[in-house]
Amino acid sequence: MSQIIDGKLVASHIRKELKNEAESLLKLTGKKPGLVAILVGDNSASKIYVNSKSKACNEVGFHSVIKIMENDTTEEDLLKVIKEFNADDDIDGILVQLPLPEQIDEDKIIEAISPEKDVDGFHPISFGNLVIGKETFYPCTPFGIMELLKYYKIDTKGKHVVVVGRSNIVGKPIANMLVQKKDGANAIVTICHTAAPDIAFYTKQADILIAAVGKANLITKDMVKDGVVVIDVGINRIEDSNSAKGYKVVGDVDFENVKEKASFITPVPGGVGPMTIAMLLTNTLKSFKQKMNIK
Ligand code: NAP
């Protein structure tokens, strides 16, 4: 019987702590941590993400700005806006909601964000620091996974972690965080991707399996060993005639069957997802404290 890793619960604890700290900091400094979310275009999923990030900001007592720009915004215009927010003392974190319209080079935009305000942790300087084990802004989803492992006291030292997926926002950073010679990490890490002839060969060896692929039910019961810890990052919509919306959201793991073998498992929704915004707020507070020189 597996234990469910409750990301909603852990995220709510983190948000409560952030709210308390923001209140104390407001008394101390008269200022609030500030986050700007920049949305270019009218992608409906992006709008939902940006609004929920802004709502979460307000709930913990941060200053929140949403900057909406037209779909035909030029790269130059977006760079100008980023430059303004880089210089804005009320803003501690800048997030540009991805994906961007095709006329804009995402890498250029990410690199234009000041590394001091890079609360998404996507800037090459943040990522470089992560790889060499220096203190930095960790990308929010991998950071959330690390917090879940810590909260449930899941030992990673010397454990074989298999990560399926090598994106810059999940697979590569989580693999690099877990391999660090540090408490809460120190794991043996394998990364799988589409060039693996048979991912089951690797997933069966995992003490901790992290699936960050975007393919519903890719990981099945026969692909894991007994006692595995399963972290499911995937968010996939599948048809569901029983739901009023006509679909439901599932992860990359066949949850119902895999949970029979797992020692711990994250559900989707309610596992990794809620942690991502909690860690974005954590990074924003960290940036604010760095600016104010507060330990
Ligand atoms: P991504 O950029 O599309 O990367 C997917 C990775 O999976 C790629 O490295 C790809 O390999 C690999 N892959 C695809 N099919 C595979 C297969 N059959 N076998 C082995 N590897 C395979 O995706 P992402 O941005 O990392 O996101 C992954 C999932 O996590 C998505 O469902 C996304 O919605 C979700 N997500 C959730 C959160 C959250 O807050 N919970 C945050 C971010 C992402 P190649 O490199 O070889 O193409």
Side-chain angles (χ1 to χ4, degrees), residues 49 141 164-171 192-196 199 211-215 218 232-236 250 252 271-277:
Y49 290 139
T141 302
V164 189
R166 58 174 161 187
S167 71
N168 289 342
I169 63 167
V170 190
C192 291
H193 40 75
T194 52
I199 60 164
V213 180
K215 296 245 153 60
L218 177 77
D232 190 353
V233 186
I235 300 176
N236 309 292
V250 299
D252 292 339
V272 174
M275 294 299 289
T276 300
I277 293 185

Side-chain angles (χ1 to χ4, degrees), residues 29-74:
T29 66
K31 291 193 167 188
K32 294 178 175 186
L35 176 74
V36 60
I38 304 173
L39 174 65
V40 187
D42 51 11
N43 180 317
S44 55
S46 293
K47 269 189 202 161
I48 294 171
Y49 290 139
V50 163
N51 286 332
S52 56
K53 286 167 188 174
S54 168
K55 187 167 163 252
C57 244
N58 290 320
E59 279 169 7
V60 295
F62 291 7
H63 167 59
S64 162
V65 177
I66 300 181
K67 172 78 183 173
I68 296 174
M69 300 180 75
E70 297 295 326
N71 202 41
D72 59 359
T73 298
T74 63

Side-chain angles (χ1 to χ4, degrees), residues 76-147:
E76 202 188 349
D77 284 342
L78 181 54
L79 288 169
K80 209 171 129 212
V81 164
I82 290 173
K83 203 172 167 196
E84 281 163 18
F85 284 119
N86 279 342
D88 185 339
D89 197 45
D90 289 334
I91 294 298
D92 301 289
I94 301 173
L95 102 80
V96 179
Q97 188 63 47
L98 303 177
L100 289 168
E102 59 183 16
Q103 72 274 17
I104 301 176
D105 179 342
E106 284 186 1
D107 289 345
K108 253 195 194 168
I109 297 305
I110 290 169
E111 285 169 34
I113 296 171
S114 160
E116 285 83 44
K117 298 190 179 187
D118 177 36
V119 289
D120 255 341
F122 294 162
H123 194 289
I125 290 184
S126 306
F127 195 74
N129 282 331
L130 180 155
V131 173
I132 60 173
K134 270 196 176 174
E135 190 57 42
T136 188
F137 291 115
Y138 300 119
C140 303
T141 302
F143 192 10
I145 295 172
M146 297 299 281
E147 288 297 304

Side-chain angles (χ1 to χ4, degrees), residues 1-12:
M1 198 44 198
S2 62
Q3 185 173 350
I4 305 297
I5 296 180
D6 187 346
K8 256 191 182 167
L9 175 83
V10 183
S12 75

Side-chain angles (χ1 to χ4, degrees), residues 100-275:
L100 289 168
E102 59 183 16
Q103 72 274 17
I104 301 176
D105 179 342
E106 284 186 1
D107 289 345
K108 253 195 194 168
I109 297 305
I110 290 169
E111 285 169 34
I113 296 171
S114 160
E116 285 83 44
K117 298 190 179 187
D118 177 36
V119 289
D120 255 341
F122 294 162
H123 194 289
I125 290 184
S126 306
F127 195 74
N129 282 331
L130 180 155
V131 173
I132 60 173
K134 270 196 176 174
E135 190 57 42
T136 188
F137 291 115
Y138 300 119
C140 303
T141 302
F143 192 10
I145 295 172
M146 297 299 281
E147 288 297 304
L148 287 177
L149 295 172
K150 188 162 90 183
Y151 186 93
Y152 284 89
K153 299 189 168 52
I154 294 165
D155 189 18
T156 51
K157 183 177 177 187
K159 296 288 175 351
H160 187 187
V161 177
V162 176
V163 180
V164 189
R166 58 174 161 187
S167 71
N168 289 342
I169 63 167
V170 190
K172 280 184 200 149
I174 189 64
N176 279 283
M177 288 166 87
L178 280 163
V179 83
Q180 296 299 323
K181 195 170 182 175
K182 282 183 184 167
D183 287 345
N186 227 351
I188 319 304
V189 182
T190 299
I191 311 182
C192 291
H193 40 75
T194 52
D198 173 19
I199 60 164
F201 172 80
Y202 303 97
T203 59
K204 277 181 194 163
Q205 299 174 43
D207 300 312
I208 300 172
L209 177 64
I210 301 176
V213 180
K215 296 245 153 60
N217 300 322
L218 177 77
I219 308 291
T220 51
K221 190 177 171 183
D222 56 320
M223 293 167 72
V224 299
K225 69 178 182 187
D226 280 324
V228 64
V229 173
V230 177
I231 306 290
D232 190 353
V233 186
I235 300 176
N236 309 292
R237 278 186 184 188
I238 59 167
E239 248 184 62
D240 179 15
S241 51
N242 294 324
S243 142
K245 293 179 198 153
Y247 69 85
K248 65 176 177 178
V249 173
V250 299
D252 292 339
V253 176
D254 175 9
F255 179 82
E256 285 308 323
N257 293 307
V258 172
K259 88 171 191 294
E260 288 170 22
K261 280 175 111 177
S263 54
F264 289 87
I265 187 165
T266 58
V268 177
V272 174
M275 294 299 289

